Amino acid sequence: MMTALANVFIWVFQRLAVWGEGLLALALLIVQGGGALVSGTLGAFFLKPLTQRRIFALLRGFWPNLSLNRIVMKSYENTGTALVTRREDCLEVLNRNADFEVVYGTRMRKLTAGDNFFLGMQPGWDYTRDTSAMRLAARMTDVAEIVQPRAAKIAEQAVAASGGKIDIVPSLTLQVPWDMTAHYFGTGGSRESMVDWTTTLFTYLFLDLEADAQLDARAMEQAGQLRDYLDGAICARKARPTDAPDILNRCLELQSADTPGMSDLGIRNNMLGLLIGAIPTISRASCLALDELLNRPEALASAQAAARAGNDALLAQHVWEALRFNPFNPVIYRRATRDTQVAASTLRRIKIRKGQMVFAANFSACFDRFEIADPGRFRTDRPWEDYIIWGYGMHTCFGASINQAVIPAILEPLLMRKNLRRAPGVAGQIDCGTSSFPEHFHLEFDS
């Protein structure tokens, strides 16, 4: 009896807290949004993570699931838009692969000039074949034995050579993942070209809501350049074999064993997909995590103490918590394959039409008070399951384990320095230039 009463009390308290958060968020959005409107900065206001978090708090409290006729995502065919904000509902969408499909396949085929990449595939033989083969080539033990130690070494060298003033994007957050693709993926290539290609193609695949014709043309041109480069790299490696423990060599070993999906074309397409998901994502996530820590002096001091103590696990917890507040991808989208419902057994149930694009707001899910303890507080004791950083379920990012190792390795040598701070003025803020990815981020520390 007492347990039942306690559960009722907890439910009522949670509901009141959610409503209170929603009302407070509404008030702040009105006041601060009004100020942004007057100052002509409304667009920038809505791009801020804090603004988005407040919008999601309002929706979770009073309108957790939305269904609209309006088409927001114009780059992939769809019949309208739905948004789900509660954690349980987001995970439901991302788990129901037969009802909510990934949509990237059409554009992935354009990038490869014919074939799909497993990120854009539904469950089936092709998906199983390609992911199984690539997991034989990219072994889990490689992260600790090859990837993380080299990333840590390159990052420390870059920070040590900076003399206390560093633009971390070109010197660190792009350099480390590019080096990884050269030495561990085995693809090489000039850093400038590889960064340009992968940033454009990632934007084209995942961020192009408006179906930008200029971006389409640029992506097609650069996809052709990347295909040609990879075809040449594969031919060169076959002509001049090496014994390096890299992914390309292992793919060629699998090819020699007649492994399905490991033709030259299959290897090239899989490498193309891996590259798109590696360099720009690691760089951006590293910058966003550090930016959030710099905005939180107590969290920054705690992260620096963990770095100096060599407590890699605690340092990583600071990074993931920072990305919870300042995420790389605030929503994950899927398309309904049939008429269906989400949260069918609840009062917030929503009807989804066939062809409707469903945005699962993973940013919102990570602040859902019904399932996340003390969501508004920066905590470093959360279980990994609380985070939805690199996707979820069948389509979790293939390189998630690499990201988990490389991003803290990139940031650790910076966090070990004394008096780490932003450079004065706008230079000390993330500068994305004309893209969605950081191009400059100047920091200083006492050398």
Side-chain angles (χ1 to χ4, degrees):
M1 183 65 178
M2 293 300 296
T3 300
L5 289 174
N7 288 338
V8 170
F9 175 80
I10 291 170
W11 186 91
V12 170
F13 175 80
Q14 287 178 326
R15 176 56 61 187
L16 291 174
V18 168
W19 287 339
E21 286 174 344
L23 290 173
L24 177 60
L26 176 60
L28 292 171
L29 286 168
I30 291 173
V31 173
Q32 296 176 358
L37 179 62
V38 171
S39 64
T41 59
L42 194 60
F45 172 74
F46 280 109
L47 291 176
K48 292 180 179 179
L50 181 57
T51 301
Q52 296 172 8
R53 184 150 56 94
R54 286 170 176 163
I55 292 172
F56 286 136
L58 175 62
L59 292 174
R60 284 196 308 273
F62 299 101
W63 202 354
N65 295 327
L66 303 174
S67 180
L68 308 170
N69 291 323
R70 183 181 175 217
I71 294 176
V72 174
M73 171 64 72
K74 299 177 182 177
S75 55
Y76 295 103
E77 183 178 353
N78 64 94
T79 61
T81 306
L83 173 68
V84 297
T85 63
R86 287 282 304 276
R87 182 181 181 86
E88 181 180 357
D89 303 341
C90 290
L91 299 188
E92 178 186 347
V93 169
L94 298 177
N95 272 322
R96 291 170 54 186
N97 297 301
D99 295 332
F100 301 103
E101 63 180 353
V102 290
V103 298
Y104 320 118
T106 55
R107 288 199 164 195
M108 198 70 214
R109 290 187 182 93
K110 292 178 68 176
L111 298 187
T112 64
D115 295 325
N116 201 352
F117 172 62
F118 53 75
L119 187 63
M121 296 177 183
Q122 285 295 98
W125 162 243
D126 288 349
Y127 177 86
T128 301
R129 177 199 64 202
D130 288 356
T131 55
S132 297
M134 290 307 294
R135 292 195 187 283
L136 290 173
R139 302 167 187 170
M140 288 295 294
T141 54
D142 290 344
V143 175
E145 295 174 0
I146 301 173
V147 178
Q148 195 278 339
R150 184 170 179 88
K153 177 183 177 182
I154 299 299
E156 174 58 35
Q157 290 174 344
V159 174
S162 69
K165 293 185 178 182
I166 183 171
D167 182 355
I168 69 167
V169 180
S171 299
L172 190 59
T173 69
L174 287 176
Q175 177 65 21
V176 171
W178 171 78
D179 177 86
M180 178 187 70
T181 62
H183 289 86
Y184 175 58
F185 287 18
T187 51
S190 77
R191 196 188 83 171
E192 181 180 0
S193 295
M194 200 61 74
V195 168
D196 194 24
W197 290 337
T198 55
T199 300
T200 297
L201 301 186
F202 187 97
T203 302
Y204 174 75
L205 276 176
F206 304 113
L207 305 179
D208 179 27
L209 296 180
E210 295 296 325
D212 186 327
Q214 291 183 338
L215 174 61
D216 186 283
R218 188 166 70 253
M220 292 305 98
E221 178 184 4
Q222 295 190 3
Q225 294 169 354
L226 180 53
R227 289 196 305 270
D228 291 344
Y229 171 78
L230 290 173
D231 288 338
I234 292 168
C235 288
R237 182 65 66 87
K238 294 177 79 171
R240 295 181 295 277
T242 74
D243 59 359
D246 60 38
I247 294 176
L248 179 54
N249 270 345
R250 291 176 183 159
C251 285
L252 293 173
E253 291 172 4
L254 291 168
Q255 182 186 88
S256 67
D258 295 325
T259 303
M262 285 289 108
S263 65
D264 284 2
L265 182 61
I267 293 172
R268 182 252 274 169
N269 290 340
N270 283 326
M271 296 302 295
L272 185 148
L274 290 181
L275 286 166
I276 292 172
I279 299 175
T281 57
I282 290 175
S283 177
R284 186 180 182 190
S286 300
C287 289
L288 293 177
L290 188 54
D291 185 57
E292 187 67 25
L293 289 174
L294 288 166
N295 287 336
R296 297 173 175 271
E298 290 186 5
L300 177 63
S302 178
Q304 291 192 281
R308 291 165 185 160
N311 191 335
D312 293 342
L314 181 57
L315 171 61
Q317 286 290 109
H318 284 81
V319 173
W320 314 141
E321 186 71 351
L323 287 173
R324 187 173 72 93
F325 283 89
N326 197 3
F328 174 83
N329 54 330
V331 297
I332 302 171
Y333 50 89
R334 298 286 187 266
R335 183 171 57 204
T337 60
R338 64 181 181 89
D339 291 343
T340 186
Q341 291 185 339
V342 172
S345 61
T346 72
L347 294 176
R348 63 180 186 278
R349 65 182 176 272
I350 183 176
K351 292 182 178 179
I352 305 293
R353 301 186 306 276
K354 180 180 179 180
Q356 205 167 13
M357 197 70 75
V358 182
F359 289 83
N362 52 309
F363 188 12
S364 176
C366 288
F367 287 85
D368 185 350
R369 182 172 293 275
F370 285 100
E371 299 188 49
I372 302 297
D374 201 6
R377 185 180 166 201
F378 192 102
R379 288 175 47 169
T380 57
D381 60 347
R382 299 186 188 279
W384 176 251
E385 293 73 23
D386 278 5
Y387 302 107
I388 313 176
I389 297 175
W390 308 113
Y392 186 85
M394 188 183 88
H395 286 288
T396 298
C397 175
F398 185 83
S401 60
I402 291 176
N403 298 342
Q404 284 181 246
V406 170
I407 294 172
I410 288 173
L411 298 180
E412 184 171 18
L414 279 172
L415 291 168
M416 292 178 70
R417 266 51 185 189
K418 295 180 180 179
N419 193 23
L420 179 66
R421 59 195 183 276
R422 300 178 189 272
V426 296
Q429 305 297 323
I430 295 176
D431 176 11
C432 290
T434 58
S435 75
S436 300
F437 292 87
E439 296 180 5
H440 301 284
F441 189 10
H442 293 266
L443 301 178
E444 298 178 358
F445 56 85
D446 294 345
S447 56

